[in-house]
């Protein structure tokens, strides 16, 4: 069976290679986190399929690269329009496959998918100026040339959004692409592949190989025929990929996990702080950027905690298709067990769990209650490791110095949220925070022009605007002398 029908939408279960659908003899089972229902047997790729896809992408590369930004852009803008026309289908599919809220997919995530394509297509046309500056009369001419085949490995927490955050700039830069979506959420990438055909993107420019990380992912990242690896996922997997890339010296861009602080100062608007803190449960906590360590000034801790509790108590957990739902299920039994394991060990260690701390027994399945751990033992697992579930920790501080020390005191540096009532104070704090993105009195405001990535173990490199092109392209400087010209 080469197709599955999910909520009335037909999705091909085969790989998409060189413009064709190719089946593997082996498959893996895809399920829905909403209720565990079966969503299909999916082609399970390995070395052979990866070889085919990289070859197809390499063959398609010269013509795609030669088209230039404007012609590529016209096709990519068509693709963005097709995504927009399919927002409802994509939202329904993604919600079934990964259990994130349908209303978020409709309103925010899928429109963002279209933006990811459109923004980078337009940036390549309008913003990547071939800069010129002079050195003793010589001109430096900087260009961003297509580099080859980009290998893109993506996670399951925002499958198509995170995939197109890479696919958009890679294709706009003139690279061709092999995408390996996460094995728990293959459907949206397959549906998207059909849209690339409808948009007129030439065969082989965009390819999808489905399968497990240790099979398809490992074969792809070790392949000598690729020119770039962009990966979003966990730190341990990034290390494996870095080793695989080392033999070919393939440049890597890594966007990894976090244990981001959310700092609430004594001069903060505590209603705003509580609102922002509760937002950290978004996507059932399966967000790399989530500010999972709430650090609050001791003098306002009790008032803040009460406001937080009041707001958290209003969160509705349930079926992500229900518009009233705020928190859906965890993605997969394996992940659910992992999240529960963190909380169970915290309990065994005698940590104070003041909210949640257990599966939602009314709902059963993969639903884990929003959880708060108060004053976790410093250095303990629950406050240092990325849980990637609806689990927040709350700690107190008594000075800015201590707040900064705690905020910066993990191996991660992806994001930070600062809630402060004084601009001068917030400026002093943000200057000393180590993080790729800091939000002051807000959360999740993201502009595709801005750099995005992590410090320390949270990532390698930055993407967004020019940073994306600096990575996917071969940046070239041509120095031209004023002398030696005959015409
Ligand atoms: P993972 O990092 O193993 O998976 C992400 C992607 O990498 C998937 O497509 C997977 O197939 C692929 N992959 C796995 N092993 C590979 C290999 N050897 N070579 C090439 N590709 C490989 O993440 P996983 O196991 O799904 O989740 C574990 C933890 O990772 C989570 O609990 C969370 O803490 C973190 N995570 C962070 C994400 C982020 O957005 N930064 C996203 C997903 C997970
Ligand atoms: Mg699934």
């Amino acid at each position: 069976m080469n197709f599955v029908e999910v909520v009335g939408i037909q999705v091909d279960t085969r790989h998409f290679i060189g413009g064709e659908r190719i089946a593997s003899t082996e498959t893996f089972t895809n399920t829905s986190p909403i209720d565990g229902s079966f969503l299909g047997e999916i082609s399970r790729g390995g070395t052979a399929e990866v070889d085919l896809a990289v070859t197809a992408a390499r063959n398609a590369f010269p013509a795609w690269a030669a088209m230039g930004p404007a012609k590529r852009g016209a096709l990519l803008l068509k693709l963005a329009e097709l995504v927009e026309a399919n927002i409802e289908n994509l939202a329904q599919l993604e919600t079934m496959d990964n259990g994130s809220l349908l209303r978020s997919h409709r309103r925010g995530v899928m429109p963002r998918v279209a933006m990811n394509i459109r923004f980078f297509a337009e940036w390549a046309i309008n913003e990547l100026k071939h800069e010129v500056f002079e050195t003793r009369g010589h001109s430096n001419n900087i260009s961003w040339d297509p580099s080859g085949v980009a290998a893109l490995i993506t996670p399951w927490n925002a499958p198509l959004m995170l995939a197109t955050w890479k696919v958009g700039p890679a294709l706009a830069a003139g690279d061709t692409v092999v995408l390996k979506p996460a094995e728990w959420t293959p459907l949206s990438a397959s549906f998207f592949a059909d849209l690339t055909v409808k948009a007129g993107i030439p065969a082989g420019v965009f390819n999808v190989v489905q399968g497990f990380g240790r099979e398809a992912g490992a074969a792809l990242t070790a392949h000598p025929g690729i020119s770039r690896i962009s990966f979003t996922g966990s730190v341990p997997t990034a290390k494996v990929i870095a080793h695989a890339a080392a033999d070919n010296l393939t440049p890597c861009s890594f966007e990894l996990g976090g244990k981001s602080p959310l700092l609430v100062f004594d001069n903060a608007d505590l209603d705003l702080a509580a609102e922002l803190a509760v937002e950290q449960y978004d996507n059932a906590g399966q967000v790399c950027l989530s500010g999972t360590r709430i650090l609050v000034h001791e003098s306002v801790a009790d008032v803040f905690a009460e406001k937080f509790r009041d707001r958290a108590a209003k969160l509705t957990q349930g079926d992500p298709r229900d518009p009233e739902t705020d928190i859906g299920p965890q993605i997969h039994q394996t992940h659910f067990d992992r999240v529960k394991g963190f909380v169970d060990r915290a309990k065994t260690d005698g940590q104070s769990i003041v909210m949640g701390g257990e599966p939602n027994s009314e709902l059963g399945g993969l639903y884990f209650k929003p959880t708060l751990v108060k004053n976790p033992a410093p250095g303990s697992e629950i406050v240092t490791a990325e849980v990637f579930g609806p689990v927040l920790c709350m700690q107190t501080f008594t000075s800015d110095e201590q707040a900064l020390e705690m905020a910066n005191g993990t191996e991660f540096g992806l994001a930070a949220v600062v809630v402060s009532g004084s601009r001068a104070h917030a400026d002093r704090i943000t200057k000393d925070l180590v993080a790729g993105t800091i939000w002051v009195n807000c959360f999740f405001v993201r502009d595709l022009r801005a750099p995005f990535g992590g410090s320390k173990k949270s990532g390698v490199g930055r993407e967004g605007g020019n940073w994306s092109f600096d990575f996917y392209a071969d940046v070239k400087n041509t120095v031209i002398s004023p002398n030696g010209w005959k015409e």
Side-chain angles (χ1 to χ4, degrees):
M1 215 174 58
N2 295 328
F3 295 92
V4 286
E5 206 174 283
V6 179
V7 285
I9 305 157
Q10 263 218 346
V11 189
D12 206 306
T13 57
R14 295 168 292 181
H15 312 288
F16 179 69
I17 298 174
E20 292 182 17
R21 291 292 180 170
I22 293 178
S24 297
T25 41
E26 295 206 43
T27 61
F28 62 95
T29 304
N30 183 26
T31 55
S32 175
I34 299 176
D35 52 9
S37 57
F38 175 73
L39 294 182
E41 284 296 321
I42 310 293
S43 271
R44 172 175 165 180
T47 311
E49 292 83 351
V50 163
D51 260 337
L52 276 179
V54 173
T55 304
R58 285 178 69 89
N59 290 340
F61 173 69
W64 182 247
M67 276 174 85
K71 282 193 183 156
R72 284 195 298 266
L75 296 178
L76 292 172
L77 294 182
K78 178 84 191 126
L79 177 60
E81 278 169 25
L82 284 162
V83 168
E84 267 156 2
N86 281 279
I87 281 177
E88 181 60 20
N89 283 337
L90 286 165
Q92 295 275 358
L93 261 187
E94 200 85 293
T95 291
M96 286 302 287
D97 206 2
N98 93 328
S100 299
L101 301 186
L102 181 58
R103 74 173 137 91
S104 306
H105 281 147
R106 279 180 177 151
R107 277 190 224 148
V109 180
M110 293 307 162
R112 189 64 175 229
V113 166
M115 261 312 282
N116 284 342
I117 309 288
R118 176 174 292 123
F119 171 87
F120 288 104
E122 288 177 346
W123 189 274
I125 297 167
N126 301 321
E127 303 296 333
L128 270 180
K129 299 275 156 38
H130 291 223
E131 266 180 65
V132 178
F133 52 86
E134 299 269 311
T135 310
R136 296 187 305 276
H138 299 60
S139 66
N140 293 267
N141 301 265
I142 297 157
S143 55
W144 286 260
D145 293 354
S147 72
V149 178
L152 312 179
I153 313 256
T154 50
W156 39 261
N157 52 331
L160 194 58
M161 213 291 285
L162 292 171
T164 50
W165 167 243
K166 302 176 190 304
V167 171
L171 293 183
D175 294 357
T176 54
V177 159
V178 180
L179 168 67
K180 208 296 284 169
E183 52 270 39
W184 290 340
T185 53
L187 297 182
S188 55
S190 181
F191 188 88
F192 179 80
D194 289 339
L195 299 184
T196 68
V197 177
K198 290 194 185 114
I201 309 262
V205 167
F206 174 76
N207 305 274
V208 181
V209 177
Q210 303 161 149
F212 294 114
R214 61 181 180 277
E215 297 173 359
L220 180 57
T221 50
H223 204 291
I226 59 169
S227 70
R228 295 289 184 274
I229 297 170
S230 181
F231 167 74
T232 301
S234 66
V235 172
T237 298
K239 291 182 185 177
V240 174
I241 291 176
H243 279 283
D247 273 341
N248 304 310
L249 287 179
T250 313
C252 294
S253 169
F254 291 150
E255 291 183 29
L256 311 177
K259 192 78 179 177
S260 298
L262 184 151
L263 297 133
V264 182
F265 290 95
D266 53 0
N267 60 1
D269 174 338
L270 296 182
D271 289 303
L272 173 65
E275 196 177 307
L276 292 170
V278 169
E279 275 183 42
Q280 309 308 314
Y281 289 124
D282 190 41
N283 209 21
Q286 303 165 122
V287 179
C288 55
L289 295 160
S290 180
T292 46
R293 290 185 299 132
I294 301 169
L295 308 178
V296 51
H297 194 284
E298 199 176 51
S299 66
V300 293
D302 289 342
V303 183
F304 169 79
E306 206 181 305
K307 289 179 187 290
F308 175 85
R309 254 197 318 274
D310 287 349
R311 278 181 170 72
K314 293 200 186 97
L315 292 173
T316 307
Q317 187 160 35
D319 189 316
R321 294 166 295 189
D322 183 338
E324 298 302 313
T325 296
D326 301 303
I327 299 189
Q330 299 297 293
I331 177 74
H332 191 272
Q333 188 69 49
T334 305
H335 185 63
F336 177 91
D337 292 344
R338 191 171 177 273
V339 169
K340 185 169 179 298
F342 276 113
V343 176
D344 287 348
R345 287 191 295 280
K347 279 186 195 163
T348 313
D349 291 350
Q351 310 252 29
S352 161
I353 294 171
V354 294
M355 207 183 87
E358 57 189 13
N360 190 324
S361 55
E362 277 171 41
L363 297 168
L366 303 181
Y367 296 81
F368 200 90
K369 285 185 184 170
T371 296
L372 183 68
V373 185
K374 211 174 159 192
N375 300 326
S380 63
E381 180 191 65
I382 199 76
V383 73
T384 55
E386 181 176 52
V387 177
F388 222 65
V391 180
L392 306 181
C393 292
M394 198 185 293
Q395 295 165 282
T396 58
F397 61 82
T398 53
S399 67
D400 285 357
E401 291 66 35
Q402 193 191 8
L404 282 165
E405 199 183 305
M406 290 166 83
N408 290 335
T410 71
E411 60 170 351
F412 298 111
L414 191 59
V417 182
V418 172
V419 196
S420 167
S422 149
R423 178 62 202 268
H425 172 253
D427 287 347
R428 284 201 303 278
I429 296 297
T430 56
K431 183 177 136 304
D432 289 333
L433 280 175
V434 182
T437 303
I438 304 176
W439 283 288
V440 182
N441 292 345
C442 61
F443 182 56
F444 235 96
V445 180
R446 245 182 100 180
D447 189 315
L448 295 179
R449 291 172 295 186
F452 179 80
S455 309
K456 298 194 272 184
K457 293 282 191 298
S458 287
V460 174
R462 296 290 183 272
E463 292 188 50
N466 257 44
W467 289 273
S468 288
F469 289 91
D470 287 347
F471 174 70
Y472 289 107
D474 267 331
V475 185
K476 186 165 77 185
N477 185 24
T478 307
V479 184
I480 299 176
S481 167
N483 307 314
W485 304 107
K486 290 189 173 165
E487 48 174 320

